[in-house]
Amino acid sequence: MSILKKRLKEIKAIKDEDIDCSDIPELDETFWKNAVLVHPEKKERLTVRFDADMVEWFKNQGKGYQTRMNTILRSFYEAHKNES
């Protein structure tokens, strides 16, 4: 079982009454009146080549590995985009 699946199983096993929600504010009508729907940015389909061991590691983390790879690349991009 992958670490992700194991952790998800642990989280699902927590009883509702054992979850501390005291620091989460209630959502009132003002929140929903001001809420804005944000659509994800357009994705571009392309063919890339990654090291096989790296791809295998991401795949072993479970479903959504391509999204996680994109998120990590985006994080690196955001951290360095103003350097040039």
Side-chain angles (χ1 to χ4, degrees):
M1 181 181 302
S2 72
I3 293 172
L4 182 64
K5 287 181 182 178
K6 183 178 179 183
R7 182 65 182 135
L8 184 58
K9 188 175 179 180
E10 291 171 356
I11 291 169
K12 287 183 176 182
I14 299 171
K15 297 177 184 174
D16 287 348
E17 58 269 13
D18 293 336
I19 299 173
D20 178 13
C21 300
S22 62
D23 61 340
I24 303 172
E26 291 289 326
L27 300 181
D28 58 10
E29 288 185 29
T30 305
F31 173 85
W32 293 111
K33 186 168 46 172
N34 296 322
V36 177
L37 179 61
V38 178
H39 294 282
E41 293 180 29
K42 180 184 172 212
K43 305 253 182 190
E44 184 173 334
R45 181 182 297 263
L46 66 141
T47 300
V48 296
R49 295 183 179 272
F50 294 111
D51 296 334
D53 59 336
M54 185 181 72
V55 174
E56 187 63 30
W57 183 83
F58 274 97
K59 284 184 174 181
N60 286 338
Q61 304 308 305
K63 186 176 179 182
Y65 75 94
Q66 291 172 323
T67 300
R68 282 191 298 283
M69 290 174 76
N70 184 73
T71 302
I72 291 168
L73 286 169
R74 170 156 292 286
S75 176
F76 184 86
Y77 161 75
E78 293 292 338
H80 295 87
K81 68 181 178 183
N82 295 323
E83 291 180 1
S84 45

